[in-house]
Amino acid sequence: MYQALYRKWRPRTFDDVVGQEHVSQTLKHQVSSGRLSHAYLFVGTRGTGKTSCAKILAKAVNCRSPRDGNPCNECSSCVGIDNGSILDVLELDAASNNGVDNVRALREEAVFTPVDVKKRVYIIDEVHMLSTAAFNALLKILEEPPAHLIFILATTELHKVPATILSRCQRHMFKRILPGDIAKRLSDIAGRENIDLTGEASELLSRLADGSLRDALSLLDQCASENTVDLNRVLSAIGLAGGEITALLSAVTDGDVPEALTRLDALYADGKVMTSVLEELLSLVRDTLVTALMPKGGLGLISGGFDDSTLHDFAARLSEERLLYMMELLRQALMDISRGSAGKLTAEICLIRLAGFSAPSNSAVEPAPPRTMKKSEAAALAPEAVNVPAVPAEKKATPPTEAAEIPNITETPPVENVPDTQPAAKPPAPPQKDDFWASVLAHIQPNIDLPFYTFLSDAANTSAVLEGDILTVKLKSAFHAKILDVPPVTEALKQAARQLLGRPAAVKIVQDAGGPAETSDKIDALRRYSNIKFE
């Protein structure tokens, strides 16, 4: 029967434990000297060797012929503990045995002397899952333990263990295992299992494991259905986009929106989940930021499956400000998807915003060509006092009366103190029907993201009405109304309405609850019932 690699190659002595020398050496010395504690608490993230060290310690204290603090793994005690035939060494999972009755039964049994070995050892995994009453019951025996009893508690969440328990245990902290140590162990095991594991694949698996050797072995097991495990095999088996994510970030960095959207569509067609794509992209951006901030000392903080050369390349092309901006947008997009937003549409909007970022002047990367002219804001306030740079696309001189309508100005303040030379008459109030809404759409099209404009211009789902100085945009879907009720959309609509009306206007985006015809139909349907009367 096949046995999983992480079980088959579980450490059997303290010397086999990878990356936890500070713990294994201390425990070996305690076993050799006989200076054992009655209670141990092993703390650390998953897959770092807590349970393995607990089992090795249980064997070492009961071994009939220990070797420099290590169990021999050959005597009857070691063999019996390994195969589970010795009931004096018991492993409990607190996640499923967390009640006070379970601990009371354990406490009643613990007072009896062991039958087959020298020490009765109880290993309680995920001890933080015990209830408050169970902790209180455990505390009693920890205060006055029999001489033959040893408790080994293991947890991934130290803050959930009561202080009364902590004060009675000898605590050992397990570190995340470094990627280099994991890669070395993977290569060693792969050689013994006749698996052709390439160096690039080993390094990628070690980075993906995030400090957990058990996770690394599970990933290797998943990829080892073929004799050769290379980089492409790892990416394919685990379902990572790999180089596609790197190419996607490169397109975003260059401000190439068509290329970014094309690559995203290819990933979507290939069956990739949009949340996974955005999470990989966020991981790459985060690792790039760590590399930029800590070019020499950030190796231990890198979390994802990207090589150093890729990270340093992006760190040279992207400023810290833009990387932080990217992380915030990606985080927000993932939150929106988790709340029920359309995955592909949300990802597309996110990429468009990422690619359109206007980097600071001291940025290491040249910003993407903006669709707006920010320096002209001052010209809108006092056009006669500011020399506005010439815009190549605008060859003709702009009349003074149209200073507030300079193309590509995103946030033009209201023009006050119009010179006496201007005509005094105001433009006629625009009609409050479809032609006004069409004019608004024409004004906002160059100034908002394409997905937003597509929603607003869809006559089947979107309508608008002007009542006084309030433009109300109605959408049939509450979900779409929520997506569009954001500052970039509302500000663009306010600017367009103000330019058409010649005065400030407010904008409301609401769900269309149904028109008069629909309401009338419902009333007519109720009239058929004789017991319902209308006044």
Side-chain angles (χ1 to χ4, degrees), residues 100-212:
V100 63
D101 293 336
N102 300 111
V103 178
R104 283 174 179 168
L106 180 149
R107 190 177 64 187
E108 293 172 359
E109 179 184 316
V111 298
F112 297 104
T113 57
V115 177
D116 300 315
V117 291
K118 294 178 288 185
K119 294 282 188 179
R120 183 183 292 271
V121 182
Y122 287 109
I123 301 171
I124 305 180
D125 200 9
E126 301 298 340
V127 71
H128 64 273
M129 298 290 288
L130 291 179
S131 64
T132 302
F135 270 124
N136 291 334
L138 180 62
L139 179 62
K140 181 63 178 177
I141 195 169
L142 286 179
E143 287 177 338
E144 301 173 359
H148 61 264
L149 184 62
I150 293 179
F151 276 99
I152 306 177
L153 314 179
T155 181
T156 56
E157 301 186 42
L158 178 64
H159 62 281
K160 293 184 179 180
V161 181
T164 51
I165 299 293
L166 296 177
S167 65
R168 289 164 173 82
C169 297
Q170 186 178 110
R171 193 186 315 176
H172 294 272
M173 307 298 294
F174 285 69
K175 305 175 183 177
R176 275 188 169 86
I177 307 174
L178 294 177
D181 294 335
I182 294 178
K184 183 178 179 181
R185 181 64 173 167
L186 288 179
S187 299
D188 179 53
I189 293 176
R192 299 186 186 187
E193 290 288 328
N194 295 321
I195 300 173
D196 185 11
L197 178 66
T198 65
E200 286 184 337
S202 176
E203 291 176 2
L204 176 57
L205 289 173
S206 66
R207 292 195 298 269
L208 292 174
D210 192 22
S212 170

Side-chain angles (χ1 to χ4, degrees), residues 420-465:
D420 296 335
T421 57
Q422 305 302 318
K426 294 184 179 179
Q432 301 176 12
K433 294 185 179 180
D434 293 342
D435 51 351
F436 176 71
W437 179 235
S439 301
V440 170
L441 291 174
H443 275 72
I444 68 172
Q445 183 176 7
N447 299 324
I448 67 171
D449 293 333
L450 180 60
F452 289 146
Y453 178 78
T454 302
F455 272 131
L456 292 171
S457 60
D458 184 4
N461 296 298
T462 308
S463 61
V465 61

Side-chain angles (χ1 to χ4, degrees), residues 203-263:
E203 291 176 2
L204 176 57
L205 289 173
S206 66
R207 292 195 298 269
L208 292 174
D210 192 22
S212 170
L213 182 56
R214 183 177 64 214
D215 287 1
L217 288 172
S218 296
L219 292 173
L220 176 61
D221 219 351
Q222 181 178 343
C223 302
S225 58
E226 299 179 3
N227 290 333
T228 300
V229 179
D230 55 12
L231 185 61
N232 291 332
R233 173 61 187 163
V234 173
L235 295 174
S236 175
I238 300 178
L240 296 175
E244 289 298 320
I245 292 296
T246 303
L248 185 61
L249 182 57
S250 183
V252 167
T253 301
D254 295 336
D256 192 344
V257 176
E259 176 68 12
L261 294 180
T262 300
R263 289 192 174 276

Side-chain angles (χ1 to χ4, degrees), residues 338-421:
S338 69
R339 297 190 187 108
S341 299
K344 188 168 187 289
L345 175 63
T346 303
E348 288 172 340
I349 293 174
C350 178
L351 290 182
I352 292 172
R353 288 178 173 175
L354 291 175
F357 173 82
S358 182
S361 58
N362 60 349
S363 172
V365 63
E366 196 68 27
R371 292 189 294 272
T372 59
M373 188 173 60
K374 296 184 177 179
K375 292 184 178 180
S376 59
E377 293 177 1
L381 285 171
E384 70 279 2
V386 180
N387 293 324
V388 181
V391 181
E394 297 291 333
K395 297 291 186 179
K396 298 179 180 180
T398 303
T401 57
E402 297 177 2
E405 296 183 12
I406 297 176
N408 295 333
I409 298 179
T410 54
E411 298 181 0
T412 308
V415 180
E416 300 179 358
N417 300 326
V418 181
D420 296 335
T421 57

